């Protein structure tokens, strides 16, 4: 069933591009500026060999919607088998009459006619692009006049790798979207050199293991080998297809919609694509492979199928959900399923404890929110409790796990009719009062009362210690994926009644195994439901440059977050303290900038859903025991229900990052006049004056120039020219050049500022006269730009290129 679903989806997809493959394909070695592809004309660009073609195709999952991408085009491959290998914008869909254009400024733009705006671009308008070309290896490239590759589709893969294409650290393959919904499955290359298959960025269900070195890239070779290679292209890990070294002309590696990574080869004899290697041999081991379709099992032929064990409570034809027990009056029971492992998927927030089988079952029955439990009989004695109706898993005779699903009792069996009997009449007898008996009874009662009190005290003491032991186990386990829920009393115990404050509303706590944690107090007005929903997303995010959220407290009017502890505190503390600032060498400051940039880039594009930080500053960047930087308090805007567009949020993070970089370089507190002063010093050819005077002669001039330029670009008042965090990271890594930035602060002026300046007379700004917004605004602004260009070209060799007019004045 799973393989059939994957096959049908791919076949429909290929049929939708077949017509475009037959009509209007233009074979050209170079694509000049001004070239355009449109949905209406159904034209395309073809590589010189004819093996690859780029053009629009109809989306099989979205009627009357189109995407533009690259697919195989060889005559040896039937039209309906010409697989798509790259899609612009990761599969963004557009309407009829939309077009893809290589504009005269060198930017490749996808324009949606229905929305009347650009929905994707290569962001190369400032990079002097002269021509484009679709190469014979399937790579779409943009070149400058010197024929240097400035941008290439190989750097922005979607769900497929072609031979020779590399997957670099922090780069992701994501399975194709279905019905307009982005897939949860991704292939990720982390900085440690691990290739990982992930679900919703938090669940890793396959990896290549820990290599002996980092800074590796994944590459598919033409002979059918998937390799991890070091910077010198030396392989350190390899996986081979079954046709390795055979003569095969076309191959590709794809992350399929079922979550498995497969290597395909074109078989000329059978005229089909054959899977010659797959990462997860047992498809049922792919996390949530059945999604909401039930449990993964194998049929008689050995093929994986999805079976709904809860068919009598199915809500629709496509959903297999555990029933809600809120309206269950007869009572509840646990239905046993042997050799089965279950887990919750929406959200991934299972509660794992170490206990016995009977106690595991009793705990679920007593907890009204528990829907199912899985007990692992492999010696670990783990009880996994699920509190969601969205449950997935797999069943196999080799599994040692036993699962129990909570069900509502049959009303007839639950309420048996028991005949009522009157109590027997007590016999009337007379008794003599026994004084010694009364004394003995009273003494015995007092003794029993004292014993009960001691037993209760001992019980609560053991309960408290038991909790601490389990909490310690959950925190210290490197594979723990769930957040720990704590009561306010337990928070007080961990912090010793909030005795160790390490920042504003931030306290240090210690677990029983002496593992330190940082506990942040939040406003009690946060809605509990929104609080838990937001934490289920934030708590599932893991990245080397992000502080891990370990647990939380949501009790009445108490809201606390529990983070991993950073031994060396915030970067702000190091900048403000002259003694500590010496430890932040130039090299360390550049490493902090790059680490923070990668972390924010991960939040923007590496997670399943876009997530902004919203309050990035040196105070929220902490240093661990090795002075490695980690970003703290990300995603808190979700807790307060803040909503804004992804674009606006991303631009806010970019601007805050630019301010943080200048603060790190200069050592000054954040202030606008500091930023303007820094730009003035740089523009006048004295960037060394911006550097923190406490640093010794260790500054690398090229790095200083690069970091100042990108920080000024981040601070641009015009949001349209701000870089993305991905571009910022590439600049800091030195893999992307950066042009000299225009003045980021003084170009936009309000009407009130114009009135004030008219009263005060002319104002001088970096040696150039400002102009007023008046009837002669156009000529004045042109004179202003001419003057700026003169000074700007003298200092940096760059020119200002934009001039627009708006209701709030003049923007350059």
């Amino acid at each position: 069933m799973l393989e059939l679903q994957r096959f049908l989806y791919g076949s429909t997809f290929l049929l939708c591009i077949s017509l475009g493959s037959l009509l209007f394909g233009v074979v050209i070695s170079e694509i000049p500026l001004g070239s355009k592809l449109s949905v209406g004309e159904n034209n395309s660009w073809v590589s010189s060999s004819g093996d690859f073609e780029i053009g629009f195709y109809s989306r099989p999952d979205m009627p009357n919607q189109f995407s533009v991408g690259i697919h195989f085009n060889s005559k040896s491959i039937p039209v309906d088998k010409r697989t798509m290998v790259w899609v612009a914008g990761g599969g963004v869909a557009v309407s009829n009459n939309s077009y893809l254009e290589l504009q005269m400024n060198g930017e490749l733009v996808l324009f949606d006619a229905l929305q009347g705006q650009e929905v994707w671009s290569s962001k190369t308008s400032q990079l002097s692009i002269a021509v484009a070309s679709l190469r014979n290896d399937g790579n779409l490239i943009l070149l400058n006049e010197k024929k240097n590759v400035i941008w290439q589709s190989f750097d922005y893969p979607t769900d497929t790798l072609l031979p020779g294409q590399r997957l670099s650290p922090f780069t992701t393959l994501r399975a194709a979207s279905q019905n307009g919904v982005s897939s949860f499955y991704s292939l990720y290359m982390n900085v440690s050199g691990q290739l990982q298959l992930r679900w919703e960025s938090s669940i890793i269900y396959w990896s290549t293991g820990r290599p002996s070195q980092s800074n590796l890239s994944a590459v598919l070779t033409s002979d059918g080998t998937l390799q991890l290679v070091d910077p010198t292209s030396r392989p350190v890990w390899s996986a081979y297809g079954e046709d390795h070294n055979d003569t095969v002309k076309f191959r590709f590696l794809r992350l399929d919609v079922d979550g498995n990574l497969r290597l395909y080869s074109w078989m000329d004899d059978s005229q089909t694509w054959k899977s010659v290697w797959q990462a997860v041999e047992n498809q049922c081991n792919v996390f949530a492979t059945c999604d909401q379709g039930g449990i993964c099992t194998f049929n008689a032929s050995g093929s994986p199928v999805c079976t709904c064990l809860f068919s009598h409570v199915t809500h629709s034809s496509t959903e297999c959900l555990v029933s809600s027990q809120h309206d269950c009056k007869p009572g509840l029971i646990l239905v046993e399923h042997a050799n089965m492992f279950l887990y919750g998927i929406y959200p991934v927030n299972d509660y794992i404890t170490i206990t016995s089988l009977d106690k595991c079952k009793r705990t679920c029955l007593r907890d009204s929110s528990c829907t199912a439990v899985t007990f692992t009989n492999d010696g670990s004695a783990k009880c996994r409790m699920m509190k969601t109706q969205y449950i997935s898993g797999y069943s196999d005779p080799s599994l040692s796990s036993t699962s129990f699903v909570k069900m509502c009792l049959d009303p007839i069996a639950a309420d048996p009719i028991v005949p009522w009997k009157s109590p027997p009449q007590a016999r009337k007898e007379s008794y003599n009062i026994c004084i010694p008996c009364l004394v003995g009874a009273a003494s015995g009662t007092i003794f029993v009362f004292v014993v009960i009190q001691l037993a209760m005290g001992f019980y609560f003491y053991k309960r408290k210690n038991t909790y601490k032991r389990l909490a310690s186990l959950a925190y210290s386990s490197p594979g723990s994926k769930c957040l720990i829920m704590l009561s306010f009393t337990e928070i007080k115990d961990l912090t010793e009644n909030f005795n160790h404050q390490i920042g504003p509303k931030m306290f240090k706590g210690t677990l029983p195994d002496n593992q330190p944690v940082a506990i942040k107090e939040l406003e009690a007005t946060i809605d509990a439901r929104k609080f838990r929903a937001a934490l289920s997303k934030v708590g599932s995010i893991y990245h080397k440059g992000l502080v891990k959220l370990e647990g939380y407290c949501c009790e009445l009017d108490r809201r606390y977050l529990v983070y991993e502890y950073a031994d060396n505190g915030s970067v702000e503390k190091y900048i403000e303290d002259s003694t500590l600032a010496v430890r932040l060498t130039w090299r360390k400051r550049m490493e902090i900038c790059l680490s923070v940039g990668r972390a924010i880039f991960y939040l923007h594009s590496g997670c399943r859903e876009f997530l902004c930080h919203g309050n990035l500053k040196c105070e929220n960047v902490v240093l661990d025991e090795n002075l490695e930087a980690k970003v703290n308090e990300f995603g808190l805007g979700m807790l307060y229900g803040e909503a804004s567009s992804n674009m606006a949020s991303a631009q806010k993070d970019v601007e805050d990052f630019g301010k943080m970089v200048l603060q790190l370089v200069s050592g000054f507190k954040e202030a606008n006049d500091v930023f303007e002063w820094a730009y003035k010093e740089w523009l006048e050819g004295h960037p060394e004056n911006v550097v923190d005077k406490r640093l010794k002669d260790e500054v690398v001039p090229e790095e200083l120039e690069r970091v100042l330029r990108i920080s000024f670009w981040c601070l641009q008042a015009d949001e349209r020219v701000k870089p993305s965090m991905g571009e910022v990271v590439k600049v800091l890594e030195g893999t992307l050049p950066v042009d000299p930035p225009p003045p980021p602060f003084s170009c936009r002026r309000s009407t009130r500022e114009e009135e004030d300046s008219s009263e005060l007379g002319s104002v001088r700004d970096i040696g150039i006269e400002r102009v007023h917004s008046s009837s002669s605004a156009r000529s004045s602004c042109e004179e202003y730009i001419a003057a700026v260009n003169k000074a700007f070209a003298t200092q940096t060799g760059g020119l200002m290129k934009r001039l627009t007019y708006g209701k709030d004045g003049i923007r350059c």
Side-chain angles (χ1 to χ4, degrees):
M1 176 179 174
L2 291 173
E3 292 183 354
L4 178 61
Q5 177 186 12
R6 173 166 54 86
F7 173 77
L8 290 176
Y9 181 82
S11 299
T12 307
F13 184 78
L14 293 172
L15 285 171
C16 293
I17 66 172
S18 60
L19 183 60
S21 301
L22 293 172
L23 302 177
F24 308 114
V26 179
V27 179
I28 49 177
S29 59
E30 290 187 347
I31 304 168
L33 298 180
S35 300
K36 180 187 293 187
L37 300 177
S38 67
V39 175
E41 295 181 7
N42 200 20
N43 52 347
S44 62
W45 298 326
V46 182
S47 63
S48 59
S49 65
D51 289 340
F52 291 94
E53 179 184 45
I54 180 172
F56 282 94
Y57 65 94
S58 177
R59 293 287 297 267
D61 56 334
M62 300 174 67
N64 301 319
Q65 294 289 297
F66 304 86
S67 291
V68 62
I70 301 171
H71 61 86
F72 286 102
N73 193 57
S74 173
K75 293 181 179 179
S76 63
I77 303 176
V79 172
D80 61 342
K81 301 283 181 69
R82 295 178 182 180
T83 305
M84 194 67 60
V85 296
W86 180 80
V87 182
V92 60
V94 296
S95 61
N96 201 1
N97 297 323
S98 301
Y99 60 84
L100 177 75
E101 181 180 17
L102 181 60
Q103 296 181 339
M104 298 305 296
N105 62 4
E107 188 163 23
L108 190 63
V109 172
L110 178 60
F111 186 87
D112 186 2
L114 183 63
Q115 298 184 41
Q117 63 180 13
E118 300 173 2
V119 293
W120 174 84
S121 75
S122 61
K123 297 183 179 179
T124 52
S125 60
Q126 304 294 320
L127 302 180
S128 304
I129 301 299
V131 71
S133 177
L134 179 59
R135 299 200 318 190
N136 292 328
D137 57 0
N139 189 12
L140 177 65
I141 59 176
L142 303 182
L143 305 98
N144 60 15
E145 293 181 352
K146 297 181 180 179
K147 301 301 180 182
N148 297 324
V149 176
I150 305 300
W151 181 94
Q152 57 182 346
S153 60
F154 270 18
D155 288 340
Y156 304 92
T158 48
D159 64 348
T160 302
L161 283 185
L162 290 170
Q165 185 175 3
R166 292 194 177 220
L167 191 71
S168 305
F170 303 110
T171 308
T172 300
L173 291 187
R174 188 169 295 277
S177 61
Q178 299 186 68
N179 301 318
V181 179
S182 179
S183 174
F184 292 147
Y185 292 112
S186 63
L187 176 70
Y188 180 72
M189 187 72 193
N190 70 7
V191 70
S192 300
Q194 275 188 307
L195 199 59
Q196 300 172 337
L197 282 174
R198 307 189 304 182
W199 186 88
E200 207 182 20
S201 78
S202 60
I203 302 298
I204 300 173
Y205 56 91
W206 177 85
S207 70
T208 54
R210 293 199 172 274
S212 58
Q213 62 188 101
S214 58
N215 195 24
L216 303 178
S217 299
V219 62
L220 175 64
T221 65
S222 58
D223 63 1
T225 306
L226 175 62
Q227 295 180 339
L228 294 183
V229 297
D230 63 14
T232 65
S233 297
R234 181 180 64 88
V236 299
W237 176 89
S238 300
Y240 302 96
E242 61 185 51
D243 61 351
H244 171 63
N245 277 336
D246 289 355
T247 303
V248 176
K249 185 175 181 180
F250 299 113
R251 304 180 191 267
F252 66 88
L253 182 77
R254 184 174 67 195
L255 178 56
D256 286 324
V257 294
D258 62 3
N260 215 333
L261 181 68
R262 294 182 177 88
L263 173 60
Y264 291 92
S265 297
W266 176 250
M267 302 287 107
D268 282 324
D269 296 339
S270 59
Q271 291 286 284
T272 59
W273 290 104
K274 179 183 178 182
S275 173
V276 295
W277 175 85
Q278 66 181 37
V280 185
E281 288 298 327
N282 185 345
Q283 182 62 37
C284 287
N285 286 334
V286 174
F287 189 86
T289 187
C290 289
D291 193 35
Q292 301 175 37
I295 310 303
C296 183
T297 60
F298 287 89
N299 57 20
S301 63
S303 300
V305 294
C306 294
T307 303
C308 184
L309 301 178
F310 327 116
S311 57
H312 55 289
V313 292
T314 299
H315 291 189
S316 71
S317 59
T318 59
E319 290 185 341
C320 180
L321 307 181
V322 176
S323 63
S324 173
Q325 294 91 28
H326 296 299
D327 299 327
C328 182
K329 296 179 180 178
L332 297 166
I333 60 171
L334 291 177
V335 179
E336 180 176 351
H337 298 277
N339 309 115
M340 182 177 294
F341 186 87
L342 300 178
Y343 47 81
I345 54 176
Y346 301 113
V348 181
N349 196 18
D350 296 348
Y351 301 84
I352 303 174
T353 56
I354 309 299
T355 184
S356 65
L357 173 61
D358 289 339
K359 189 173 181 180
C360 181
K361 294 164 60 178
R362 288 198 304 269
T363 302
C364 182
L365 282 173
R366 292 170 182 169
D367 191 333
S368 60
S369 61
C370 175
T371 55
V373 288
T374 291
F375 185 79
T376 306
N377 294 315
D378 59 359
S380 62
K382 288 183 180 179
C383 176
R384 177 184 294 268
M385 181 187 298
M386 287 138 271
K387 296 187 177 183
T388 175
Q389 291 181 265
Y390 297 94
I391 291 177
S392 187
Y394 54 97
S395 177
D396 190 89
S398 63
L399 291 176
S400 60
S401 302
T402 302
S403 296
F404 301 87
V405 179
K406 189 182 288 186
M407 305 288 288
C408 190
L409 273 172
D410 188 312
I412 298 178
D415 282 322
I417 300 175
V418 180
W420 181 83
K421 296 181 180 180
S422 62
Q425 297 291 328
R427 292 182 300 172
K428 297 182 180 179
E429 295 184 9
S430 62
Y431 297 95
N432 295 324
I433 298 176
C434 178
I435 301 299
C437 295
L438 292 176
V439 174
S443 301
T445 301
I446 295 173
F447 174 76
V448 171
F449 177 77
V450 172
V451 170
I452 291 176
Q453 292 296 317
L454 291 174
M456 290 179 65
F458 180 74
Y459 168 77
F460 286 115
Y461 173 79
K462 290 290 291 180
R463 181 183 178 186
K464 177 179 177 181
N465 283 346
T466 300
Y467 159 74
K468 287 185 175 181
R469 178 177 63 82
L470 293 177
S472 172
L473 177 64
Y475 275 115
S476 59
S477 173
S480 178
K481 296 290 183 184
C482 45
L483 295 178
I484 303 300
M485 295 188 300
L486 305 174
S487 67
F488 178 64
T489 302
E490 292 157 349
I491 291 289
K492 290 176 64 177
D493 290 341
L494 294 180
T495 59
E496 296 181 355
N497 203 21
F498 305 101
N499 277 341
H500 307 288
Q501 187 165 1
I502 56 178
K505 294 187 177 183
M506 184 75 77
F507 305 89
K508 182 180 180 181
T510 306
L511 298 176
D513 62 352
N514 294 322
Q515 178 184 344
V517 289
I519 299 178
K520 182 176 179 63
E521 181 182 4
L522 300 177
E523 295 179 10
T525 57
I526 303 175
D527 180 73
R529 182 179 58 83
K530 293 181 179 179
F531 183 76
R532 291 190 177 95
L535 290 183
S536 67
K537 296 179 180 179
V538 176
S540 65
I541 295 174
Y542 299 92
H543 187 272
K544 180 182 179 181
L546 296 173
V547 174
K548 182 183 177 183
L549 180 64
E550 303 278 16
Y552 65 93
C553 169
C554 182
E555 183 178 275
L556 298 178
D557 59 343
R558 310 285 185 178
R559 303 287 186 271
Y560 291 90
L561 298 179
V562 181
Y563 291 104
E564 65 172 312
Y565 182 75
D567 293 332
N568 284 302
S570 70
V571 170
E572 183 180 54
K573 180 180 73 173
Y574 274 71
I575 292 178
E576 293 179 347
D577 191 314
S578 297
T579 304
L580 294 175
V582 179
R583 298 185 63 188
L584 291 185
T585 62
W586 174 258
R587 174 56 44 217
K588 178 54 64 178
R589 297 188 192 207
M590 293 300 98
E591 290 175 358
I592 292 174
C593 291
L594 184 55
S595 179
V596 173
R598 285 171 172 169
I600 301 300
F601 174 54
Y602 177 79
L603 291 177
H604 288 187
S605 59
C607 302
R608 182 177 64 86
E609 296 181 6
F610 171 88
L611 187 66
C612 73
H613 189 286
N615 191 29
L616 181 62
K617 52 187 176 181
C618 288
E619 178 186 338
N620 290 331
V621 178
V622 295
L623 303 171
D624 63 12
E625 58 184 0
N626 299 317
L627 289 183
E628 297 292 333
K630 292 191 174 187
V631 177
N632 197 14
E633 300 188 18
F634 56 90
L636 293 189
M638 297 175 60
L639 304 181
Y640 295 94
E642 297 176 1
S644 60
S645 67
N646 291 359
M647 181 65 71
S649 300
Q651 290 171 352
K652 174 67 165 59
D653 282 351
V654 170
E655 181 175 339
D656 289 345
F657 180 79
K659 294 178 180 179
M660 187 208 72
V661 169
L662 283 179
Q663 190 176 351
L664 267 172
V665 172
S666 66
F668 290 125
K669 290 282 289 182
E670 179 180 323
N672 287 332
D673 55 349
V674 171
F675 304 146
E676 295 186 11
W677 162 81
Y679 181 82
K680 181 176 181 293
E681 291 292 334
W682 170 81
L683 187 62
E684 293 179 349
H686 308 294
E688 68 280 357
N689 292 345
V690 181
V691 179
D692 192 340
K693 299 301 185 290
R694 295 170 295 187
L695 289 175
K696 298 180 180 179
D697 298 331
E698 53 181 319
V699 178
V700 180
E702 294 80 7
E703 288 183 339
L704 175 60
E705 179 70 17
R706 185 165 63 239
V707 77
L708 287 178
R709 286 190 181 190
I710 194 61
S711 63
F712 295 139
W713 276 113
C714 292
L715 295 172
Q716 291 294 313
D718 188 349
E719 292 83 358
R720 297 171 301 176
V721 299
K722 283 183 179 179
S724 67
M725 283 308 302
E727 292 168 329
V728 170
V729 170
K730 286 182 178 294
V731 169
L732 294 177
E733 290 174 338
T735 60
L736 183 69
V738 56
D739 292 338
F745 314 107
S746 58
C747 254
R748 181 186 295 181
R749 308 186 64 207
S750 66
T751 306
R752 177 62 181 272
E753 287 175 326
E754 297 296 344
E755 293 172 354
D756 293 343
S757 63
S758 65
E759 296 174 1
L760 296 174
S762 60
V763 182
R764 305 295 292 180
D765 180 29
I766 61 171
I768 304 171
E769 184 177 7
R770 290 185 179 182
V771 297
H772 304 293
S773 180
S774 64
S775 59
S776 59
R778 180 175 296 274
S779 60
S780 299
C781 195
E782 290 171 350
E783 292 173 2
Y784 172 71
I785 287 186
V788 172
N789 278 337
K790 183 176 181 181
F792 203 57
T794 301
Q795 299 296 338
T796 66
L799 294 176
M800 295 179 61
K801 298 180 180 180
R802 285 181 173 83
L803 173 62
T804 59
Y805 305 92
K807 63 181 180 180
D808 56 348
I810 301 169
R811 179 189 299 168
C812 305

